[in-house]
Amino acid sequence: MALMDKNMENLGMEINKLIDLHIAENRKRVNFEDEHKRAIANISHDLRTPLTSIVGYIQMAKKEDIPADERKELLSIAYERAKRLETLLNDFYELSIIKSNELHVTLERINLKNIAIEVLMSFYDQFHEKEITPITRIPDEAVYIIADKSALTRVLENLFANAFTHSDGEIKMSIEDKDHVVKLKVENHTNTLTEKDVEHIFDRFYMADQSRSGKSTGLGLSIAKSLMEKMNGNIQGQLHDGIFSITCEWRRAKE
């Protein structure tokens, strides 16, 4: 009898484990379906908005009695909306390729310091336009990590683009090489982000400051996170005393 009771107890435990596993898997399925629905809704909205705007401006420009300078301005606005639509489609396509595992990265020993400086210099015009002098803290010596050059460049471009979108002042970049771990941090002062924003900052299509949605597709940081995962790295966001920072982390490459 004791043996039978023990067997029944074990059977009950196994059944409970199966039930818990079923509940967990069902919850994952529901979350995935909800995320998929939100993604489709966001894509539809983000595509429809610039398309509607483009059509509207072109229709106004087609009017026969409109002055030439006004027609030129309307077409210029339509062109800018079309470029935003192109950016959105390109970003969405890039993210879909990454998520479908069709993107193959080539991991090699790369000098992070050199790539970071190159990307920083590519933003010279934006720094000049916003009258910002970037503050950098970079080691004198080379800092090597294992990464894909193209993916690494894309990650850093997205981090700086995000900093420009949300910055209310200075922008800083630092590289730290300590205890076999390499960290690159991009930070900026902001009055627009909240703790809730930081929790979702890497979600697809999430735009913390909706008033600036015209400057972002809401995909940049999601792409950055996906690429970091491809390179076996880590990326995190943090908000402290009005300073928003994003830190990328890799294991230091062996000599």
Side-chain angles (χ1 to χ4, degrees):
M1 177 66 80
L3 180 59
M4 183 178 293
D5 290 342
K6 186 64 175 178
N7 289 337
M8 291 297 293
E9 181 181 348
N10 290 337
L11 177 61
M13 292 175 61
E14 291 300 321
I15 291 175
N16 286 334
K17 288 180 181 179
L18 289 173
I19 292 174
D20 290 340
L21 180 61
H22 174 74
I23 293 174
E25 289 299 321
N26 187 61
R27 186 179 297 115
K28 288 182 181 179
R29 179 183 60 79
V30 171
N31 289 339
F32 175 79
E33 290 177 354
D34 288 343
E35 181 182 356
H36 187 62
K37 290 177 182 177
R38 286 195 299 270
I40 292 176
N42 286 330
I43 293 170
S44 299
H45 175 269
D46 281 4
L47 292 178
R48 184 169 58 250
T49 300
L51 275 174
T52 302
S53 177
I54 292 168
V55 171
Y57 282 111
I58 291 178
Q59 286 178 337
M60 287 189 288
K62 288 175 64 178
K63 293 181 179 179
E64 296 182 359
D65 59 343
I66 192 171
D69 56 342
E70 187 175 342
R71 177 179 288 108
K72 183 178 180 179
E73 182 179 357
L74 291 170
L75 291 176
S76 177
I77 296 173
Y79 176 78
E80 291 300 321
R81 297 293 192 276
K83 294 297 292 183
R84 165 168 162 69
L85 180 58
E86 180 184 36
T87 300
L88 174 64
L89 290 171
N90 288 338
D91 283 353
F92 179 68
Y93 175 74
E94 181 178 5
L95 184 61
S96 66
I97 291 295
I98 298 171
K99 290 295 186 181
S100 65
N101 293 321
E102 293 182 18
L103 176 70
H104 300 287
V105 296
T106 301
L107 299 180
E108 55 185 340
R109 191 168 181 262
I110 292 177
N111 186 348
L112 173 63
K113 175 182 173 182
N114 286 351
I115 301 297
I117 292 175
E118 288 177 8
V119 174
L120 187 66
M121 293 302 296
S122 71
F123 280 83
Y124 172 82
D125 289 340
Q126 287 93 321
F127 280 117
H128 181 71
E129 181 181 346
K130 297 192 72 170
E131 299 183 344
I132 294 176
T133 300
I135 299 173
T136 60
R137 190 172 73 250
I138 303 174
D140 293 331
E141 65 279 3
V143 180
Y144 287 96
I145 62 173
I146 299 298
D148 178 275
K149 184 177 180 180
S150 177
L152 175 61
T153 300
R154 184 72 160 111
V155 168
L156 298 184
E157 288 175 344
N158 288 3
L159 296 193
F160 282 117
N162 181 75
F164 275 109
T165 297
H166 298 291
S167 177
D168 293 320
E170 62 188 18
I171 294 177
K172 299 180 180 179
M173 181 191 73
S174 62
I175 296 177
E176 180 184 61
D177 183 3
K178 183 178 180 181
D179 298 330
H180 305 290
V181 175
V182 175
K183 295 181 179 181
L184 180 144
K185 180 186 290 187
V186 175
E187 53 187 325
N188 59 273
H189 184 273
T190 178
N191 290 316
T192 61
L193 295 180
T194 66
E195 290 290 348
K196 178 184 177 182
D197 293 328
V198 176
E199 291 177 7
H200 298 281
I201 202 72
F202 297 108
D203 292 354
R204 284 177 291 180
F205 299 102
Y206 186 81
M207 288 178 285
D209 186 356
Q210 296 296 327
S211 67
R212 303 187 187 192
S213 60
K215 301 180 181 180
S216 171
T217 64
L219 290 171
L221 292 185
S222 182
I223 290 173
K225 181 178 181 180
S226 297
L227 290 175
M228 285 297 294
E229 291 172 350
K230 284 280 187 180
M231 295 186 287
N232 302 316
N234 183 48
I235 185 170
Q236 294 181 336
Q238 184 178 21
L239 181 64
H240 182 68
D241 291 338
I243 303 297
F244 176 63
S245 64
I246 297 180
T247 303
C248 296
E249 184 176 305
W250 301 265
R251 296 291 296 178
R252 182 202 301 160
K254 295 181 180 180
E255 298 294 335

